[in-house]
Amino acid sequence: MVHQTISSNSTMAPSASSKSKLMNRLLCTVLNCLIVGMLAACGSVPMQGPASRPPIGSTVSKGAWADDTAVLPLPILQAKSRWTAVRWAELPGLGEDPLHEAWNAWLKSCERPGPVFAPLCGEVRRLSIGGPDEQRAWLMTRLQPYRVEALAGGAEGLLTAYFEPVMEASRVPSAGFSVPLYQLPPGLAQRKPWFTRQEIDTLAQAQAALKGREIMFLADPIDALMLQIQGSGRMRITQPDGTQRLVRLAYAGSNDQPYKSVGRWLIDQGALRDASWPSIKAWAAQNPGRVNEMLWSNPRTVFFREESLSDLDAAWGPKGAQGVPLTPGRSIAVDPGSIPYGTPVWLDSSGPMVNLQKLVLAQDTGSAIVGAVRADYFAGWGGAAGELAGRLKQPLRLWVLWPK
């Protein structure tokens, strides 16, 4: 357009016209060079391809994830959650977590991987002997973090904990061991929901269906309730020769009735402010005439199967819903409508009980674990784990780590 404007001005003096033509030729030359240069530059920009895999053994220094500038992918919708892609720098405590502990849980997930993570399991196994910097570099190259949010938009939820109780039990009933634990009753699948907890204790028809299905007996009905809520436990049984044998009772099924919290019932009754297991047991000891009323407030009951517990098995928790043994401190129960089993998850939770910023694996679920940002933290077994499980209830944020 500039060239046309200059050449059309025929009223100008000859000396001005000559200068104008010279300027025109110079401008055209400059413009042509600029255009050619731009085209050459465009041709030199490589097209973005898939992320390359880091060599096994490569590392990344702490803080390197702050330079992550890759284009973020679109959100992913699940049945009960939305995942929003974020930078690695958003994950709190990423440089401080001893990742080899989580790798043990990941190796368990690789025993029964889903189709999304199965292709990565070879690399996961090779990196099991790697250092945390190598493992962190691999995570950043092969996976994309997504913040887990409720479909309505909230990114904060609730963290609780569960554990595997260790209890004294007997094969035969006695005055000291009178609370039965049952196998699955015959015909359970044909009648769902099955009898409530109160009906099991009071109806002749329910008791007839469970006759002969007792696996073992406990001393305390509150312990039996705790075992059913946790889903499994380690039973210490005294043998006829006086020696003790440790076996596991694992979850086999339920009566398909809704779960109701007895702790919530006690709070609503004005009986307790702190509904921890020690408080519940203390209340029961002071109110023996109301124990059944409390127990029956939860209509759900659980049936078990017995499993042997070798020294090797004893190093792990029970099998979760994914079908692999749980790892203390590194396995969580989730709502599978929000997070699929086998997914590595970054967990962040701070509160009066514990501060957690770590990599965990979604390997289990539970009837009370419902919602997008909701997790139950497997604390292990024994007294300390039981104390944590009985009191942990604090805010939670989650990020799933999904293959690129």
Side-chain angles (χ1 to χ4, degrees):
M1 292 178 65
V2 173
H3 179 265
Q4 291 177 353
T5 302
I6 293 175
S7 62
S8 65
N9 193 349
S10 57
T11 60
M12 300 179 79
S15 59
S17 176
S18 177
K19 290 179 181 178
S20 176
K21 290 179 181 178
L22 178 59
M23 290 175 65
N24 183 28
R25 286 195 296 272
L26 289 172
L27 285 170
C28 288
T29 301
V30 171
L31 288 171
N32 286 336
C33 291
L34 286 172
I35 292 171
V36 170
M38 290 172 64
L39 290 173
C42 291
S44 66
V45 176
M47 295 183 65
Q48 184 176 357
S52 59
R53 302 185 184 187
I56 299 298
S58 62
T59 63
V60 61
S61 61
K62 292 181 180 179
W65 46 88
D67 298 326
D68 180 18
T69 58
V71 176
L72 293 176
L74 295 173
I76 297 175
L77 287 180
Q78 299 289 331
K80 295 185 179 180
S81 65
R82 178 179 63 249
W83 300 353
T84 299
V86 300
R87 306 290 180 194
W88 281 97
E90 182 173 304
L91 276 57
L94 178 61
E96 308 304 323
D97 185 32
L99 293 176
H100 68 276
E101 296 176 5
W103 235 258
N104 291 330
W106 203 335
L107 291 172
K108 288 297 180 183
S109 276
C110 280
E111 293 176 6
R112 296 193 65 179
V116 173
F117 285 96
L120 298 181
C121 281
E123 297 171 50
V124 171
R125 293 186 182 99
R126 289 196 297 275
L127 274 166
S128 63
I129 59 173
D133 286 343
E134 299 170 51
Q135 293 166 343
R136 194 175 296 111
W138 180 86
L139 289 176
M140 293 174 60
T141 304
R142 299 293 275 132
L143 304 177
Q144 169 64 48
Y146 291 82
R147 184 173 58 247
V148 181
E149 302 167 350
L151 293 175
E156 188 169 290
L158 175 67
L159 179 68
T160 53
Y162 67 120
F163 78 117
E164 192 173 27
V166 180
M167 298 177 175
E168 301 290 334
S170 173
R171 294 287 188 190
V172 295
S174 65
F177 292 92
S178 60
V179 183
L181 301 170
Y182 294 105
Q183 304 174 52
L184 282 171
L188 178 67
Q190 286 73 44
R191 189 191 188 282
K192 281 200 171 185
W194 211 63
F195 299 104
T196 66
R197 180 182 297 274
Q198 182 175 357
E199 290 169 340
I200 289 172
D201 289 344
T202 60
L203 288 184
Q205 184 182 357
Q207 292 172 358
L210 290 170
K211 186 175 177 60
R213 308 296 292 177
E214 302 90 345
I215 304 178
M216 57 189 66
F217 298 83
L218 299 182
D220 188 341
I222 309 300
D223 285 343
L225 175 67
M226 179 193 298
L227 181 66
Q228 292 179 353
I229 290 174
Q230 303 305 319
S232 72
R234 301 178 178 213
M235 303 291 105
R236 190 178 290 114
I237 300 173
T238 301
Q239 307 279 69
D241 62 0
T243 61
Q244 290 192 324
R245 182 187 176 201
L246 197 64
V247 300
R248 172 175 281 142
L249 287 188
Y251 176 90
S254 78
N255 59 351
D256 210 32
Q257 295 283 350
Y259 170 79
K260 301 290 184 181
S261 168
V262 298
R264 181 76 261 169
W265 182 86
L266 286 166
I267 290 173
D268 291 343
Q269 296 283 316
L272 291 179
R273 286 186 175 181
D274 169 26
S276 64
W277 282 116
S279 298
I280 293 171
K281 294 191 80 168
W283 179 89
Q286 295 167 6
N287 300 271
R290 298 191 67 192
V291 169
N292 279 339
E293 183 185 0
M294 178 194 69
L295 295 173
W296 294 343
S297 71
N298 176 25
R300 186 179 181 88
T301 195
V302 165
F303 305 107
F304 298 97
R305 65 174 180 273
E306 184 176 333
E307 297 179 351
S308 61
L309 200 60
S310 67
D311 291 342
L312 180 61
D313 296 329
W316 302 91
K319 289 182 179 179
Q322 188 188 354
V324 300
L326 303 177
T327 304
R330 294 292 174 168
S331 298
I332 59 171
V334 297
D335 186 333
S338 175
I339 301 174
Y341 297 140
T343 302
V345 177
W346 193 263
L347 180 150
D348 175 44
S349 180
S350 298
M353 284 295 296
V354 67
N355 294 324
L356 299 170
Q357 295 177 337
K358 62 196 308 186
L359 181 63
V360 295
L361 276 291
Q363 296 175 323
D364 202 6
T365 192
S367 59
I369 312 305
V370 179
V373 191
R374 179 72 175 94
D376 213 17
Y377 180 80
F378 179 61
W381 47 88
E387 178 69 15
L388 178 63
R391 297 184 181 276
L392 184 64
K393 190 174 184 180
Q394 59 191 43
L396 170 70
R397 293 188 298 163
L398 297 173
W399 293 260
V400 297
L401 309 184
W402 202 247
K404 292 181 179 178

